[in-house]
Amino acid sequence: MKALHIITGLGVGGAEQQLRLLLRHLPVRCDVVTLTNPGAVAEGLRADGVRVRDLGMRSNRDLGAVPRLARLIRRGSYDLVHTHLYRACVYGRIAARLAGATVVATEHSLGHAEIEGRPLTWGTRELYLRTERLGAATVAVSDTVAGRLRDWGVPAARIHTVPNGIDAAAFRFDSAQRRFTRALLGLPDAAYVVGGVGRLVPGKRFDLLIGAVAALPGAWLVLAGDGPEAVPLRALAARLGVAGRVRFLGECGTAGAAPTIPAVLSAVDIFVSASREESFGLAVVEALAAGLPVVHAACPAIEDLPAGRVPGTTRIGSSSGTTGPEEELTAALRHHVESGTRRLPPPPVVDAYDIRSSSRRLLDVYAQAVATAPLPPTERVHP
């Protein structure tokens, strides 16, 4: 089988990194097209031996992208097209339909009120649904996302849940790496260090972490990631008088960047994901693989499982009390600080989210789509 993956961009992000990891374990010949922004993940894919092309879209309404994609699909003689992220799903499904190719899409970032961090509008939803019908299957990265797709009106028979996956061995705790990374970042050996990973955007609510650390004099904070909130978050840390106890690392895990995310997770003592909304919660699973206790808000990777299946995790924001989210987070962190630092054995759920298992499940979706899905009738769609 030969597949073409189409993705909106290849900057550092969860969906982009997941695509790169998946292609390392998917036993399919794969090429990648990015509509725009051939960033650090494109470089990583090329280093892995994957052919990456930049379509060079000039804007969200660059309608010329559709025929350009259709030509690429025809010339490549692909058995299947797999699209990732909203814009690539819209344009890629139309192009695949025009090229006569079977198309599967993965829904990475669908929330209740947002998609990929942007507000959901009637037009966004309508365009998504009209183009979704042009595909053979839609993959949801969690049962939570599958439920949201069904609520939108996507037929259940077209939805397949394939959870995001990790390479657990890469995140195994390393005491030598802990010492080295703490020295590199100027973290005291005995300091209690809180960790956060992700794009610095409002929905991740890293401001809550900074506020909580400011209320705990013995705590430090390491934030791995970059984004539009970087400057406001630095200003907040300075305003609260904790700039000296907060480390902003920028993007990690890309070529030439140090430390890596596994190194960061070895260096910290607890992991926090305060996101208002998530489609999966990949960073939480990585933290669990590193043996860290986790405090989280929204995290389908945990919440979709039966209660009590993931020891070492504390959920905040699940009850309707008078305590605000920052106060609730501060209380949870204070409890851990007072209990002392301890590593935990990775829970069984880490093995359940192994990337090899995810790749096998996706391969089954591919085989079913290619073998059984007829092309739907042509529909008039307007990107």
Side-chain angles (χ1 to χ4, degrees), residues 186-243:
L187 301 171
D189 289 340
Y192 192 90
V193 183
V194 180
V197 175
R199 284 269 296 159
L200 303 187
V201 293
K204 297 293 186 181
R205 300 198 298 184
F206 288 120
D207 56 322
L208 299 186
L209 276 71
I210 294 173
V213 167
L216 299 170
W220 292 60
L221 175 62
V222 171
L223 291 181
D226 202 355
E229 288 292 293
V231 172
L233 289 172
R234 287 178 182 272
L236 175 63
R239 189 163 63 251
L240 295 178
V242 292

Side-chain angles (χ1 to χ4, degrees), residues 166-168 170-173 195-197 261-262 264-266 268-273 281-296 299 302 310-313 342-347 349-350:
I166 70 165
D167 183 353
F171 294 93
R172 189 174 296 126
F173 173 68
V197 175
I261 297 300
V264 170
L265 295 179
S266 283
V268 305
D269 299 300
I270 191 169
F271 185 84
V272 176
S273 173
L282 191 64
V284 166
V285 179
E286 293 170 348
L288 292 170
L292 287 170
V294 169
V295 177
H296 69 92
C299 183
I302 294 175
V310 191
T313 61
R342 64 190 180 99
R343 286 277 158 172
L344 305 169
V349 69
V350 170

Side-chain angles (χ1 to χ4, degrees), residues 110-115 120 144 148 151-152 277-278:
L110 178 61
H112 285 296
E114 298 180 341
I115 187 165
L120 276 171
T144 293
R148 291 169 184 165
D151 291 344
W152 271 28
E277 202 166 54
E278 286 283 355

Side-chain angles (χ1 to χ4, degrees), residues 12-348:
V12 176
E16 296 84 354
Q17 296 278 37
Q18 183 68 189
L19 174 60
R20 183 185 179 192
L21 182 61
L22 180 68
L23 294 193
R24 291 176 176 174
H25 296 276
L26 195 62
V28 174
R29 294 170 56 204
C30 294
D31 296 335
V32 174
V33 169
T34 180
L35 301 187
T36 185
N37 186 25
V41 179
E43 297 173 11
L45 283 165
R46 290 185 178 116
D48 294 342
V50 178
R51 183 167 63 170
V52 179
R53 297 176 180 175
D54 174 19
L55 198 68
M57 276 189 71
R58 297 182 296 276
S59 72
N60 284 345
R61 294 186 175 276
D62 180 1
L63 301 185
V66 171
R68 296 201 300 274
L69 275 175
R71 285 193 296 270
L72 280 174
I73 295 166
R74 290 193 196 98
R75 291 170 183 169
S77 300
Y78 296 101
D79 300 294
L80 181 131
V81 173
H82 188 163
T83 63
H84 307 262
L85 300 177
Y86 181 83
R87 199 191 321 173
C89 285
V90 169
Y91 281 85
R93 282 166 170 151
I94 299 170
R97 176 66 179 90
L98 292 173
T102 300
V103 60
V104 169
T106 291
E107 182 45 64
H108 293 271
S109 305
L110 178 61
H112 285 296
E114 298 180 341
I115 187 165
E116 298 169 27
R118 299 178 182 87
L120 276 171
T121 64
W122 178 88
T124 299
R125 176 172 169 170
E126 182 66 16
L127 182 56
Y128 184 98
L129 290 173
R130 286 177 66 81
T131 56
E132 196 279 336
R133 300 166 194 156
L134 302 177
T138 295
V139 173
V141 298
S142 66
D143 288 338
T144 293
V145 171
R148 291 169 184 165
L149 288 168
R150 288 193 298 271
D151 291 344
W152 271 28
V154 177
R158 296 170 55 80
I159 302 170
H160 304 262
T161 300
V162 179
N164 283 328
I166 70 165
D167 183 353
F171 294 93
R172 189 174 296 126
F173 173 68
D174 185 325
S175 58
Q177 186 68 263
R178 176 184 176 87
R179 291 190 296 271
F180 174 82
T181 305
R182 284 202 165 208
L184 179 69
L185 300 179
L187 301 171
D189 289 340
Y192 192 90
V193 183
V194 180
V197 175
R199 284 269 296 159
L200 303 187
V201 293
K204 297 293 186 181
R205 300 198 298 184
F206 288 120
D207 56 322
L208 299 186
L209 276 71
I210 294 173
V213 167
L216 299 170
W220 292 60
L221 175 62
V222 171
L223 291 181
D226 202 355
E229 288 292 293
V231 172
L233 289 172
R234 287 178 182 272
L236 175 63
R239 189 163 63 251
L240 295 178
V242 292
R245 290 192 280 129
V246 179
R247 298 289 184 266
F248 291 89
L249 306 187
E251 292 179 352
C252 296
T254 58
T260 63
I261 297 300
V264 170
L265 295 179
S266 283
V268 305
D269 299 300
I270 191 169
F271 185 84
V272 176
S273 173
S275 297
R276 183 179 298 107
E277 202 166 54
E278 286 283 355
S279 295
F280 182 77
L282 191 64
V284 166
V285 179
E286 293 170 348
L288 292 170
L292 287 170
V294 169
V295 177
H296 69 92
C299 183
I302 294 175
E303 294 153 19
D304 288 349
L305 301 173
R309 282 282 303 276
V310 191
T313 61
T314 303
R315 187 177 182 187
I316 60 172
S318 57
S319 60
S320 56
T322 57
T323 304
E326 186 175 312
E327 290 78 10
E328 193 177 358
L329 175 57
T330 301
L333 289 178
R334 180 177 288 111
H335 170 75
H336 281 280
V337 170
E338 293 173 352
S339 299
T341 301
R342 64 190 180 99
R343 286 277 158 172
L344 305 169

